[in-house]
Amino acid sequence: MLREPMGLLGIGLVLLIVLGALFAGLTGYSPSKLAMRDRFLDPSFTHLLGTDHLGRDLFTRVLHGARIALGVAFVATGISFIGGLILGMIAGYGPRWLDSLLLLLFDSLRAFPTVMLALALVTLTGPSLAAVVLVVVLATLPGYARVVRAQTMSLKTTEFVLSARSLGAPSWRILAVHIMPNLIGPLVILVSMDIPVVITIEAGMSFLGLGVRPPTPSWGAILNDGYAFIRESAWPAIAGGLPIIIATLGFTFLGETLRDHLDPRLRQDG
Amino acid sequence: MLLYALKRLGLALIITAVALILLISMIQLIPGDPAAVLLGPLASPEMREMFRQQMGLDQPALVQIARFFGRVLTGDLGTDVLTNRSVLVTVMEQVPFTLALIFASITWSALIGIPLGCFAALYRGSLADRIVGILSVSSIALPSFVIAIYGLLLFSVKLGWFPTIGAGDRGDPIDQLYHLVLPSLAVGLGWVGYLARMVRASMLEVLSENHVRMARAFGLEERTITYRYALKIAIIPTVVLLGMGVGNMISSAVFAEIVFARPGVGKLIFDAISTRNYPVVMGAVMITTGFYVLCTLIADLIAAGLDPRVRSTL
């Protein structure tokens, strides 16, 4: 995998983001302390990406934003992963009526364009990090559950499952011991391919003011500040977009390479 | 085919109905008082109580859902809190702008993406193919709002080539097109990659089939085979997938409309949220979701019409 230039680039970019998140506290600036005298400074050795409309160091804010982005990606995909696995197995292994009911629920959830779901939900809850996680879970879980369900159904009739059943193993044991281990691999790949999507949703919602509240530095919020003051200085907008580009490209390259190496069967369209 | 169409239509109706139920039950499921969130912290208890009565939030959940359905079926999506007009009218006024944006984006991305995919399939495994592949993956991954802002920054603010806001003069189609350039660039860029990828994959499949081998045996030029014989078949799954992707496109359009301060459904919802115009938000979300379900329905019906195997999946 290291021989693939795309995979190598992906690892490099992802590492950049992860290291940034780890060492965000070492830049010597606070991500939220105001310094009105230093507004809209251009990049220099003291401020690597310049400063924003409140004089805050953009580089520091971007690094702290990496923590939010990675945190949301980790927590939300984790919940989706577990939820999709469980619901998918229930739909695939359980009684027919339950399967139909769950399928209907998944398909109905997928009927909403993601942004519409986010907008409708946040009107009711108000903007928060929890709302972002909820939107990500609602947007991604049905897809995972559908894949798990299809795999469970085909595994249900395999000989090793049938023999376990004829030996009298209870349903939960068959699911946990015999079926689940065969589902986790493909699902991990699927979920890792979705990390750029999750990062995009978080940044997008924060950009629209539906995500984390200021002054918490999220990439989307930095981009939104930059957008508001785009005529004063280009740097806040550039600084907000750059990490989103690096992260989405990095995780995409990494995910694509991982998928091609680990499971060629999942290769969807070339 | 008729049986499949009827079944598929029934499924679409059920899905829309369940989606509406989910939307309305979100109000019940989400902890906290929507009246408090929507009216803000300054609202007095009396105001909240009035709002609850107005919205029917004081009724039991099932009554609310039943009432809501009755109203939706008669085309009544509620009343715009600010202008006192019907929500349906308010939303429908904005729909043409969003449709124009989506249509423009699909058109230009198809014009570039489809030939690009053919080209990549034709020179499979070459350096050019690999570059197209990496560019496609990148363009799919990049969020549309980042492209929109960078486009705005470079082409409008710095270079001054394109307008920054609005949709152009009402009676001036050239001006309207001019205002469409940057927003549709942001919405369509990901689709160039998506289409190129899809066309390349189905093209490779078609190129290995018998009738293509036959054409090759006759000594036809590779270019003629690709564009005149293979593409006609390879394009079918792509066109169908376009219908499925409309949901994505609606999402990108929301961002493009907000960044370029362009009228449209996305801008309408966004503005309605900041003015706490709750009926408009819900009405617009309902209409776009219905539109999206309709698009996937049409795509599925086309697929079934072209490929009889699809009909047995339902």
Side-chain angles (χ1 to χ4, degrees), chain A residues 6-242:
Chain A
M6 199 165 86
L8 209 60
L9 185 62
I11 291 176
L13 294 177
V14 168
L15 221 60
L16 211 61
I17 298 291
V18 173
L19 288 178
L22 281 179
F23 296 111
L26 300 182
T27 54
Y29 294 99
S30 148
S32 50
K33 206 176 141 212
L34 314 188
M36 294 310 275
R37 245 193 268 166
D38 298 331
R39 300 178 75 200
F40 298 128
L41 291 182
D42 282 346
S44 62
F45 282 112
T46 44
H47 296 286
L48 287 175
L49 282 170
T51 57
D52 69 359
H53 63 292
L54 299 172
R56 298 172 294 196
D57 180 50
L58 281 166
F59 185 64
T60 309
R61 281 179 68 74
V62 164
L63 294 192
H64 279 273
R67 291 183 175 175
I68 303 269
L70 292 180
V72 168
F74 191 71
V75 172
T77 50
I79 296 174
S80 267
F81 180 93
I82 296 171
L85 194 65
I86 293 173
L87 288 178
M89 285 198 304
I90 291 175
Y93 201 82
R96 188 98 200 242
W97 62 270
L98 192 59
D99 178 35
S100 310
L101 197 72
L102 284 172
L103 259 191
L104 188 63
L105 190 70
F106 300 152
D107 284 349
S108 304
L109 270 177
R110 295 208 307 182
F112 293 104
T114 309
V115 174
M116 293 298 154
L117 197 67
L119 290 166
L121 204 96
V122 174
T123 350
L124 299 170
T125 60
S128 70
L129 207 56
V132 175
V133 172
L134 187 59
V135 167
V136 171
V137 170
L138 289 179
T140 54
L141 190 146
Y144 303 155
R146 255 184 165 277
V147 171
V148 169
R149 169 186 173 270
Q151 295 258 19
T152 307
M153 285 188 141
S154 66
L155 285 169
K156 199 157 76 168
T157 51
T158 50
E159 282 178 351
F160 68 93
V161 171
L162 288 179
S163 60
R165 232 167 93 185
S166 58
L167 285 173
S171 295
W172 66 265
R173 195 184 149 82
I174 293 177
L175 282 174
V177 179
H178 299 285
I179 291 185
M180 202 167 73
N182 289 297
L183 297 171
I184 285 184
L187 193 59
V188 165
I189 299 172
L190 203 65
V191 170
S192 74
M193 301 279 295
D194 262 353
I195 288 180
V197 177
V198 175
I199 290 177
T200 303
I201 294 177
E202 188 273 314
M205 284 181 70
S206 300
F207 175 72
L208 295 179
L210 310 175
V212 296
R213 292 233 167 117
T216 313
S218 152
W219 294 336
I222 300 172
L223 192 62
N224 191 28
D225 288 344
Y227 170 63
F229 296 96
I230 203 162
R231 288 179 191 285
E232 271 79 8
S233 166
W235 291 106
I238 294 175
L242 206 60

Side-chain angles (χ1 to χ4, degrees), chain A residues 4-10 13 248-249 252-253 256-257 260 270, chain B residues 116 120 126-142 189-190 192-194 196-197 200:
Chain A
E4 287 275 332
M6 199 165 86
L8 209 60
L9 185 62
L13 294 177
T248 49
L249 286 188
T252 302
F253 289 160
E256 294 265 327
T257 320
D260 290 353
Chain B
L116 213 59
S126 69
L127 183 67
D129 177 27
R130 292 187 61 118
I131 292 174
V132 170
I134 291 180
L135 286 181
S136 313
V137 173
S138 314
S139 84
I140 297 169
L142 289 179
L189 192 67
V192 175
Y194 195 45
R197 243 187 138 170
R200 178 184 178 274

Side-chain angles (χ1 to χ4, degrees), chain B residues 201-283:
Chain B
S202 55
M203 197 72 166
L204 285 177
E205 215 168 282
V206 174
L207 280 177
S208 63
E209 272 173 35
N210 282 335
H211 69 279
V212 172
R213 230 189 311 163
M214 179 80 166
R216 220 174 259 147
F218 272 124
L220 291 181
E221 222 179 305
E222 196 68 14
R223 197 178 298 267
T224 324
I225 297 171
T226 314
Y227 292 102
R228 297 216 22 211
Y229 294 88
L231 183 60
K232 272 184 197 163
I233 303 168
I235 200 80
I236 294 170
T238 313
V239 170
V240 172
L241 277 156
L242 265 177
M244 313 263 177
V246 167
N248 258 325
M249 216 150 218
I250 294 173
S251 297
S252 325
V254 171
F255 286 105
E257 284 168 5
I258 291 163
V259 169
F260 293 100
R262 217 189 117 77
V265 180
K267 183 89 171 66
L268 176 75
I269 299 178
F270 185 68
D271 292 345
I273 287 185
S274 50
T275 53
R276 302 177 188 281
N277 199 340
Y278 167 77
V280 170
V281 176
M282 284 306 167

